[in-house]
Amino acid sequence: MSRPDDATFPDGDAALDAEAAGVVGVEGAVEQAVEDEVRAAVRQAVSVSVATGLYGISFGALSVVAGLDVAQTMALSLLMFSGGSQFALIGVVGAGGAPTAAIATAGFLGVRNALYGAQLGPLLALRSWHKVVAAQFTIDESTAVATAQRSRRAVRAGFWWTGVGIFVLWNAMTLVGALAGDALGDPRAWGLDAAAAAAFLGLLWPRLAARAMQLTAAAAVLVAVLLIPVAPGGVPVLAAAAVAIVIGQVDARRRHAAAGPSSPSANGNGNGNGGEETS
């Protein structure tokens, strides 16, 4: 019979190697999960880019019908690059409105992009010159895809793939629509207006699972619907956004108070991106 002191014990180095292998395995699993999320974000971005970019045909055709030439139409898509503002501008021009009214209407709608920038800033955490480039691609769809992700790499992938993808397709389709002009007829008959709205709704729908999100969306929609008949173009969108922001802030403060000072988010230790680097 062997004595207790004759028992063999794992070698110290072997134990350390096993522990290190376990750590590497966990890190590998986390990395794989992030990679999977990045690929999913890219797939989502491509589908949204195609659905939204195709609607550029509608803008190009309607812009020419409203009285703008091809060069002016392309300038709007290349430089303004904000579908809502572009349609608002040509809507006023086509109705015989003054240029100042057209610019003011488009400007009202464009203000929302500044709100998107404030939301995306901490999520993307870009360097200075990257921020200048990102500003051009900060639109409804790129914001929606980016904010739907959990890790910073996926946020960045969703933002850039959506923004750049829509920019390329939107401008290409704008040119097609502008050159075709009246030959296309009413672009809405092709269903392209519904395609863009459906793509955006598809992004929004999964985020409405929580009761608070449902109430926020309902309140924003109600305000917009009530203001559309009486307010200038762009104002209903801004008012709806303001309602959503106020409700979101109130709900965040309520949850912050309920969590108490021991919560990591209450202490400012969480970044909402899995602790990834911000560079």
Side-chain angles (χ1 to χ4, degrees), residues 95-121:
T100 53
I103 294 173
T105 300
F108 269 129
L109 282 170
V111 170
R112 73 190 189 282
N113 292 343
L115 301 177
Y116 295 157
Q119 181 182 17
L120 287 170

Side-chain angles (χ1 to χ4, degrees), residues 17 35 72 104 166 230 272:
D17 289 343
E35 289 292 340
Q72 292 170 329
I166 292 178
V230 297

